[in-house]
Amino acid sequence: MSPPPLSAIIAELESMYDPAWAEPWDAVGLTCGDPRQPVRRILFAVDPVTAVAGEAVAWGADLLVTHHPLYLKGTTSVAADTAKGALVHQLIKHDVGLYTAHTNADVADPGVSDALARAVGLAGPLRPLRPAADAPGRGLGRLGELAEPMPLADFAAQAVRGLPRTAWGLRVAGDADRLVRTVAVSGGAGDSLLGTAAAAGADVFLTADLRHHPAGEFLESGAFAGGPALIDAAHWATEWPWLAPAAALLTSRLAARGINVETRVSETVTDAWTTTAQCEEK
């Protein structure tokens, strides 16, 4: 059987992650590529960066599916004398399409936060922290229960083992001995869900990109009201777990239609932070 055209792959991806679910400011869908181009190999990655594009080319991928958009704010040029323009030229030169599923994958069922929840050890039922108005199973973040309560320090150790390694691991705010059972998670930047996690009765909220003032004020308020502890992970690390189930779901759905493709998950670490430094004790 001849390989499917890119348009058939896109149709399946958009049945999984409807572009209509994306935030109005987002940029999802096909960035570059000919819809008529045959697709045999698909690489999944979080970020459309130079190293990942090189990986796609070296592997012989026909399509690169990323979580983050290449041009979130739009552009007037793809000239090859800019980093992003050079990436577009590299992909087009080697017939590699680029497709993005971003906030539409965040709110999907299953989506980015489902994968994060499983990675940090939540095995039971999950529900959205902020359900979609038209579909309660979809929405931002996830809330679930650990099989048994455990100290915050032990949960943090379990979580860091389940996530891909980054230079700075996890930052934890709260009493290390506090018992936690109800866990809220949100892949990517999740400080907009701080209040939602508290209202949902979470003992701990694990997300990324927590800022000093919102986190500090939240913890101060929570000290009086029993609010959750906080765990802050690298943005990339909280979204990477979604890649494998997304690739598996696409493969299985295509196979059900008699379409066979090969998929791979990029293990290239694209977290922006590459090392840490600590002051030496005097």
Side-chain angles (χ1 to χ4, degrees):
M1 181 180 293
S2 60
L6 175 56
S7 58
I9 307 300
I10 291 173
E12 200 62 50
L13 282 166
E14 294 187 347
S15 71
M16 295 161 52
Y17 310 114
D18 190 336
W21 301 340
E23 294 292 329
W25 49 262
D26 204 1
V28 301
L30 188 64
T31 301
C32 69
D34 184 344
R36 299 167 297 179
Q37 172 188 331
V39 173
R40 299 172 181 83
R41 288 182 164 184
I42 305 171
L43 180 68
F44 281 74
V46 174
D47 296 300
V49 294
T50 302
V52 169
E55 183 181 355
V57 170
W59 182 51
D62 305 297
L63 176 63
L64 172 59
V65 175
T66 63
H67 183 51
H68 292 145
L70 178 63
Y71 289 106
L72 184 58
K73 297 181 179 179
T75 187
T76 59
S77 171
V78 292
D81 59 355
T82 65
K84 291 187 177 184
L87 189 149
V88 171
H89 279 255
Q90 182 184 19
L91 293 177
I92 292 175
K93 180 179 179 179
H94 292 92
D95 292 324
V96 182
L98 174 60
Y99 184 90
T100 297
H102 190 209
T103 54
N104 49 332
D106 286 335
V107 300
D109 177 23
V112 171
S113 291
D114 295 275
L116 173 59
R118 300 309 183 199
V120 301
L122 297 178
L126 301 172
R127 61 185 187 276
L129 269 178
R130 183 178 294 166
D134 60 341
R138 290 192 296 102
L140 285 174
R142 291 296 184 269
L143 188 74
E145 307 286 329
L146 296 170
E148 296 291 339
M150 65 177 66
L152 175 63
D154 291 352
F155 174 70
Q158 173 178 290
V160 80
R161 289 192 299 268
L163 294 175
R165 185 178 179 86
T166 57
W168 53 285
L170 300 179
R171 300 188 298 178
V172 183
D175 181 352
D177 295 325
R178 171 183 179 165
L179 288 181
V180 299
R181 182 162 193 171
T182 303
V183 179
V185 302
S186 183
D191 62 6
S192 67
L193 293 172
L194 284 169
T196 307
D203 299 310
V204 60
F205 179 36
L206 187 153
T207 188
D209 297 346
L210 290 176
R211 295 170 293 157
H212 174 79
H213 290 295
E217 292 174 4
F218 179 78
L219 288 168
E220 282 288 301
S221 299
F224 291 96
L230 298 177
I231 298 181
D232 186 38
H235 189 120
W236 170 84
T238 64
E239 295 176 330
W240 186 86
W242 165 74
L243 302 178
L249 181 60
L250 176 64
T251 301
S252 65
R253 290 172 66 119
L254 289 171
R257 296 171 50 194
I259 299 173
N260 294 312
V261 295
E262 185 178 359
T263 60
R264 176 186 286 189
V265 170
S266 172
E267 296 187 359
T268 301
V269 178
T270 55
D271 182 47
W273 311 106
T274 56
T275 191
T276 59
Q278 298 290 335
C279 295
E280 295 183 2
E281 293 186 7
K282 296 181 179 180

